[in-house]
Amino acid sequence: MKLGVDMTEQSTSTADRRSVLAAGAAVTATGIAGCSDLLGGDEDILSWHAGGTSGTYYPLSGDFKTIIDSETEYALEVQSTGASTANAGSLGDEDADFALIQNDILEFAYEGEGIDDFDEPIDNLRSVATLYPETIHLITTADSDIKTVHDLEGAEVNTGDLGSGTQANALQILEQAGIGEDDFDEGNADFAGAADELRDGNTDAAFVVGGYQVGAVEELANDIDIDIIEISGDFRDDLQEEIEYFASDTIPSGTYDGVDEDVETVSVQAMIATHEDQDEEVVEEVLEAIFNNLDEIGERADDISIETAEDGLPNVPQHPGAESFFEDN
């Protein structure tokens, strides 16, 4: 599915493009979202776009909300979205003040290339800080005949929400395996929906991209016997040569019930992003609150640190407020 504008319409602007992407995000306010009425209107509200409620972005954003609400003059309004690709559109349109996003997707959006969803640069995007590796899980049931990526040809495969970073990565991996869009049946659901389809026997495999343990995968593994397909060996080498931002990763044995051996795979990097018009002081205060209170974070706490927060930044300008924060710390 391509969210791009009709390039024959010469009047279409970058701002129009951003609006289309933002509209495609289907952003929904959710349970942990701040509400201006409940807050009494005294705080300055910052809109923070996360991801699906069954992934890692959403609960981690809830941790950030707790910290920022208590440590700054701001109140964070967390929204559930279609994740990385949708969030790039929301930031570009300045409907979001901050968002969690994959490093590769942020660069694609900034440059206007790399995946079909970005056919014009969204050049007001700015990087802030990297957080943790987002591990690519390729999940099947334990009794499935699918044992390698190449076995997905002809299968029903859930590639993630339309427009999500998960979908982008899944399609890149399938393409590397020589599996084109006409060579498999694509389903599009969030992590919880994909888990339900596997549980009910309505799909053959599903891609999930998130910091392990992903809640939806953990729950699925507690309900049924699952298998996580390796992305390894020569295939991984070729994939990394073709797509340089894929890093080698391993899902440790015991991460999920019944997965009793290490699973070799690849990962991208989760990060915080904003837009160029965001106030420098706001960015600094948000980063100071987060990195001075890492002990309050439950999601991916062992992987988030100020020492690694500039590792893996994409080829996107860093916001001046972030630059100042890291220079001082």
Side-chain angles (χ1 to χ4, degrees):
M1 175 179 180
K2 186 171 180 178
L3 298 177
V5 293
D6 184 352
M7 299 306 294
T8 63
E9 294 181 20
Q10 299 299 317
S11 62
T12 301
S13 65
T14 301
D16 293 333
R17 170 65 182 154
R18 295 171 185 156
S19 296
V20 170
L21 277 171
V27 175
T28 306
T30 53
I32 62 174
C35 173
S36 57
D37 292 336
L38 295 176
L39 292 169
D42 293 334
E43 298 91 342
D44 291 325
I45 297 175
L46 299 175
S47 175
W48 184 289
H49 286 196
T53 57
S54 56
T56 306
Y57 282 7
Y58 188 77
L60 177 60
S61 296
D63 292 340
F64 290 160
K65 172 179 171 58
T66 299
I67 292 169
I68 291 167
D69 285 1
S70 63
E71 299 293 332
T72 75
E73 63 189 272
Y74 307 110
L76 210 62
E77 181 181 81
V78 176
Q79 293 185 341
S80 174
T81 73
S84 291
T85 305
N87 290 352
S90 297
L91 286 174
D93 207 37
E94 299 188 11
D95 286 337
D97 293 298
F98 295 92
L100 295 185
I101 190 168
Q102 292 175 199
N103 57 349
D104 57 326
I105 302 301
L106 186 66
E107 184 168 327
F108 289 158
Y110 180 77
E111 295 180 347
E113 59 184 21
I115 57 176
D116 288 345
D117 291 319
F118 304 122
D119 53 14
E120 291 184 22
I122 308 179
D123 55 12
N124 67 333
L125 297 174
R126 294 295 180 265
S127 63
V128 175
T130 55
L131 297 171
Y132 63 89
E134 290 208 280
T135 305
I136 294 177
H137 302 60
L138 175 52
I139 306 163
T140 65
T141 57
D143 59 358
S144 171
D145 292 332
I146 296 170
K147 302 302 179 185
T148 72
V149 176
H150 295 86
D151 293 335
L152 295 174
E153 184 171 2
E156 176 79 27
V157 184
N158 193 298
T159 61
D161 269 337
L162 285 171
S164 67
T166 297
Q167 185 193 30
N169 294 148
L171 295 178
Q172 289 165 330
I173 291 168
L174 289 167
E175 182 178 1
Q176 184 65 34
I179 301 173
E181 61 181 13
D182 296 328
D183 299 326
F184 73 104
D185 294 323
E186 183 176 8
N188 299 106
D190 63 13
F191 296 166
D196 287 341
E197 290 186 352
L198 281 166
R199 186 184 290 107
D200 297 338
N202 294 327
T203 195
D204 298 310
F207 283 88
V208 172
V209 181
Y212 55 78
Q213 298 167 317
V214 177
V217 180
E218 188 174 16
E219 291 178 11
L220 178 66
N222 290 335
D223 292 341
I224 66 171
D225 293 333
I226 69 166
D227 192 14
I228 302 179
I229 304 303
E230 283 204 340
I231 299 172
S232 59
D234 291 342
F235 178 75
R236 181 166 69 178
D237 292 342
D238 293 342
L239 179 66
Q240 290 174 307
E241 184 175 347
E242 181 70 22
I243 305 173
E244 60 185 16
Y245 50 76
F246 278 139
S248 297
D249 202 356
T250 303
I251 302 172
S253 169
T255 299
Y256 301 105
D257 189 33
V259 180
D260 299 326
E261 296 182 358
D262 291 351
V263 179
E264 297 300 310
T265 184
V266 291
S267 64
V268 290
Q269 192 84 359
M271 63 177 297
I272 303 170
T274 187
H275 55 77
E276 66 178 345
D277 291 333
Q278 187 60 253
D279 185 87
E280 290 185 30
E281 184 177 339
V282 172
V283 175
E284 287 190 66
E285 289 186 25
V286 165
L287 287 176
E288 183 174 1
I290 289 173
F291 285 102
N292 285 345
N293 294 277
L294 292 177
D295 57 337
E296 300 296 321
I297 292 175
E299 294 288 330
R300 305 299 295 185
D302 293 341
D303 296 310
I304 301 173
S305 73
I306 195 169
E307 290 78 18
T308 61
E310 291 185 290
D311 295 347
L313 286 174
N315 187 28
V316 175
Q318 192 173 21
H319 192 280
E323 290 180 333
S324 296
F325 173 77
F326 289 115
E327 286 173 2
D328 294 340
N329 293 274

